[in-house]
């Protein structure tokens, strides 16, 4: 597992499992926030990293409920008692009440009651929390959320995009519920103009908005 500091307040921890799988640590005023839980075998590395950063883990925020994003959550919660948040729309799928759109079988990726819904400010808008702006970016999954760190200018994209050799690419089609909606949700990079985009499956991209027009023309 490899840890990289990608901006003044954000670290990325990654592992290779055929494709890269990344999670992030964000330093906030009162401690540490973990974004996503990766795959189960990342739990040890995540806990070790929390110790090394020497800050209390205050929250776990999820981009969505797919198994490669929540694999270590149970174990990390067991050690830290950190509360877990996910978009309200995502809960029913992650808790296994309903199959994700396009899938035949429901699958429980998060134990019932373990995660709470992210607070909404109004229809479609989520409440900012400790320097992070959660952005509802549906398509890859119904309740997919990207997190924008305004001060550092970093967009933590989860599976909103993948990247390949420095280029923006679509989320993995096989696991994407509604590609058209996912591509449209990607417009947040054009609106926010983040300095850096970091995704779960791929390398980081500087000034990703410079690629937006090409991406949109190709895939919309
Ligand atoms: Zn996913
Ligand atoms: Zn994924």
């Amino acid at each position: 597992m490899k840890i990289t500091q990608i901006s003044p307040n954000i670290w990325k921890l990654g592992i290779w499992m055929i494709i890269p799988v990344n999670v992030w640590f964000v330093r906030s005023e009162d401690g540490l926030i973990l974004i996503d839980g990766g795959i189960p075998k990342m739990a040890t590395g995540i806990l070790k990293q929390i110790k090394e950063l020497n800050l209390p883990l205050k929250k776990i925020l999820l981009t969505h409920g797919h198994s490669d994003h929540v694999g270590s959550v149970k174990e990390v919660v067991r050690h830290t008692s950190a509360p877990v948040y996910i978009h309200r729309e995502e809960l029913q799928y992650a808790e296994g009440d309903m199959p994700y759109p396009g899938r035949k079988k429901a699958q429980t990726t998060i134990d019932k009651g373990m995660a709470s819904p992210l607070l909404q400010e109004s229809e479609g808008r989520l409440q900012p929390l400790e320097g992070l702006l959660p952005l509802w970016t549906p398509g890859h999954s119904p309740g997919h959320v990207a997190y924008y760190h305004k001060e550092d200018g970093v967009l933590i994209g989860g599976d909103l995009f993948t990247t390949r050799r420095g280029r923006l690419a679509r989320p993995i089609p096989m696991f994407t519920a509604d590609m058209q909606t996912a591509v449209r949700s990607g417009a947040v990079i054009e609106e926010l103009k983040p300095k850096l985009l970091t995704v779960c499956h791929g390398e980081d991209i500087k000034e990703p908005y410079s690629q937006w027009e090409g991406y949109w023309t190709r895939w919309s």
Side-chain angles (χ1 to χ4, degrees), residues 52-200:
E52 265 164 38
L53 290 168
N54 199 22
L55 289 165
L57 185 69
K58 289 292 178 179
K59 281 187 182 71
I60 301 171
L61 303 177
L62 300 173
T63 59
H64 61 301
H66 287 165
S67 56
D68 55 326
H69 295 253
V70 303
S72 77
V73 167
K74 199 171 174 177
E75 187 66 5
V76 175
V77 168
R78 202 165 70 79
H79 281 85
T80 62
S81 306
V84 183
Y85 297 92
I86 191 167
H87 196 286
R88 185 179 292 280
E89 282 285 319
E90 193 80 0
L91 262 180
Q92 56 194 330
Y93 307 105
E95 289 184 342
D97 291 335
M98 272 170 70
Y100 272 100
R103 303 257 186 111
K104 284 205 182 87
K105 268 196 193 157
Q107 191 198 355
T108 305
T109 56
I110 300 174
D111 289 357
K112 264 213 163 76
M114 183 172 276
S116 310
L118 285 159
L119 291 177
Q120 307 217 4
E121 258 183 353
S122 60
E123 196 55 49
R125 282 190 88 86
L126 298 164
Q127 208 169 80
L129 30 97
E130 287 146 72
L132 286 168
L133 179 64
L135 301 151
W136 184 37
T137 41
H140 175 69
S141 71
H144 186 280
V145 173
Y147 295 90
Y148 182 49
H149 194 286
K150 210 172 171 185
E151 195 189 323
D152 289 10
V154 176
L155 182 69
I156 297 170
D159 283 355
L160 180 58
F161 298 100
T162 55
T163 68
R164 227 163 290 149
R165 287 177 234 105
R167 291 190 59 87
L168 271 188
R170 294 186 304 168
I172 301 170
M174 193 166 65
F175 301 116
T176 298
D178 176 350
M179 189 59 87
Q180 277 311 303
T181 305
V183 169
R184 233 178 288 131
S185 286
V188 291
I189 58 166
E190 176 70 358
E191 286 155 30
L192 300 167
K193 304 223 165 15
K195 281 189 235 162
L196 190 74
L197 168 73
T198 180
V199 297
C200 185

